[in-house]
Every structure is written in structure tokens, then in C-alpha cells.
Amino acid sequence: MKILALDSSGMVASVAVVQDGDLLAEYTINHKKTHSQTLLPMLDAAVQMIQLKLDTIDAIAVAAGPGSFTGLRIGSATAKGLGLALDKPLIGVPTTQALAYNLYGAAGVICPIMDARRNQVYTGIYTFTDGRMQIVEDQIAADIRQVIERLNELGQPVTFCGDGVCVYQEQIKAQMQIPVYFAPAHLNRQRAGAVAALAMEYLKEGRAQTAAEHKPDYLRVSQAERERQERLKREAGLL
């Protein structure tokens, strides 16, 4: 079983190929969010290096959200285009689940946090039991203070990862009442290798879709849409 995976849900752009239990290639860049210019060249470079024929892959995995609206659209469009051209199924992997999968087997709970601005984060809470990832709280957009409160209620040691760590680390340290850890640099951001590995499990469970069916999960409307809704309310005298 061979899976090609893409992740452009945040600042990181990442491409990987996993075959059964082996990571054949992974190309990850965390420098400027120009995924429209970099993702396809990265894909081409990875494919050329391992001499991969794209028609030999079994499925295409993509970080399905939440995350950057533009980044998600780029990743989704790239995956859909490949899926349609190659007639391959798509596997949408929730972004926070893939981030948590970087820390496979970690004790306690894992809490990925992605900065969503205005004191909000995209997050979820996960744990590993008998070698399988369990969802304690499914991914949501929430105020960081609510996340901290919920983790304190759980009362278990927690490991944070994601780009929200650098934004909220001091607040987390000050307000958490339980042992807190932060993932090291090589496990702290999105990795297509984790998307592919988790997608392999989903594929075994039959959790695939056609390229036409796939769409990103934004979790909330974009800032432009929020501003449009506020403007319409003002014009209607509701604000």
C-alpha cells in the first residue's frame, strides 16, 4: 500500500510518500506561506528522487483542515487534481489529528494548538491507548483560555505542539495546573509523513472518498466572510 500525502494547512508545506510501514520520502519547508509556488515543485522533487510513478500510488492523503484558508484550498485543489487525473481515492486527514500523530505513543494527553488569531486556536485533545490514537475532544476552534481550563479538568500531563505554542506558551505555563511539555522542533509542526501514516490507518478502515467528494474542513468562516456578514448586519440595522 502506497500513499502520497500533502500538507499545506499552515506555514509549513510538506509532501511525503509512505509505503506500508516505510517513509520513502518527505520534503518539508517552514519558510513563508507561498504554497501556490512551492507545493508542486516540492512534490515533483520528491517523486523524482525516489523515481516514483504516480500511477502506482494507492491513494492521496491531504491535511483537510482546520488551518490557513488559502493553504487548505491549495492543498485540497492539488490533491483533487491529482486524484481526478490519476483516478485515485482521497483521504482527508484532520490537521490536528495529524499533528498529534507526530507524538505517537506519548504518555498523557496531546493537545495540538494552531494559532487562529484573536486569542483563538484550532485544537483537539488526543491520547494513545494500546497503540491507537483516541479522540478525547474532537477538533474545534476555541479560546485558548477555554482549552487550558478543559485540560486542567482532565488532570493528566499534557504535551502541546503546533504553531500556537510560540504564541501562547507563556500563558499556558502560567495557567496550567498540571505537568506541561512542549514538543521539540522536529515534531512541533505539520508533517506530511504523519498525514500519510495516519491515512494508511484510515484507508484500512475504508475512510476514503473520491476526489470529487473531497472538501476542506475550515471549522469557521474566513475573516473576509465574517467582515461581510458584519457589514450586512450594519446595513440592515442589526448592529
Side-chain angles (χ1 to χ4, degrees), residues 38 116 182 235:
T38 60
F182 300 98
E235 292 172 353

Side-chain angles (χ1 to χ4, degrees), residues 147-149 151-152 156 158 160 171-180:
V147 177
I148 292 171
E149 181 179 350
L151 289 167
N152 282 330
Q156 298 184 53
V158 56
F160 288 91
Q171 184 177 348
I172 289 168
K173 289 179 179 178
Q175 297 178 7
M176 291 294 292
Q177 301 166 7
I178 52 180
V180 172

Side-chain angles (χ1 to χ4, degrees), residues 5-218:
L6 309 171
D7 193 329
S8 57
S9 58
M11 183 69 74
V12 170
S14 188
V15 176
V17 179
V18 166
Q19 181 172 1
D20 299 324
D22 291 328
L23 178 63
L24 302 184
E26 186 174 43
Y27 189 166
T28 300
I29 295 292
N30 182 23
H31 179 68
K32 299 183 179 180
K33 200 162 45 179
T34 54
H35 303 328
S36 60
Q37 301 171 3
T38 60
L39 194 61
L40 282 175
M42 289 170 62
L43 170 61
D44 183 61
V47 166
Q48 293 298 325
M49 286 295 291
I50 61 173
Q51 300 180 326
L52 173 68
K53 295 182 179 179
L54 286 175
D55 60 1
T56 67
I57 63 175
D58 294 284
I60 299 160
V62 61
S68 156
F69 287 82
T70 301
L72 289 174
R73 284 192 288 268
I74 292 168
S76 176
T78 303
K80 285 170 73 74
L82 288 169
L84 289 168
L86 299 170
D87 192 25
K88 302 293 182 179
L90 262 61
I91 306 166
V93 176
T95 307
T96 62
Q97 291 186 26
L99 273 166
Y101 213 65
N102 282 340
L103 301 173
Y104 179 92
V109 298
I110 301 165
C111 184
I113 51 174
M114 301 170 63
D115 185 23
R117 308 294 177 88
R118 299 184 179 184
N119 222 45
Q120 296 267 313
V121 292
Y122 297 124
T123 188
I125 302 175
Y126 307 93
T127 188
F128 286 91
T129 305
D130 297 327
R132 294 187 64 82
M133 189 169 70
Q134 307 294 326
I135 300 173
V136 180
E137 299 282 351
D138 207 355
Q139 58 181 20
I140 57 170
D143 189 291
I144 186 63
R145 292 166 293 191
Q146 295 174 320
V147 177
I148 292 171
E149 181 179 350
R150 176 59 178 141
L151 289 167
N152 282 330
E153 289 174 355
L154 290 174
Q156 298 184 53
V158 56
T159 302
F160 288 91
C161 60
D163 61 28
V165 168
C166 62
V167 180
Y168 298 105
Q169 185 169 352
E170 295 308 314
Q171 184 177 348
I172 289 168
K173 289 179 179 178
Q175 297 178 7
M176 291 294 292
Q177 301 166 7
I178 52 180
V180 172
Y181 307 95
F182 300 98
H186 66 295
L187 300 174
N188 190 42
R189 299 295 176 93
Q190 289 93 331
R191 290 184 59 185
V195 174
L198 192 51
M200 190 74 72
E201 299 302 314
Y202 291 168
L203 188 60
K204 294 174 185 176
E205 298 169 4
R207 297 167 61 178
Q209 57 189 173
T210 66
E213 291 171 329
H214 172 75
K215 60 181 179 180
D217 182 9
Y218 297 112

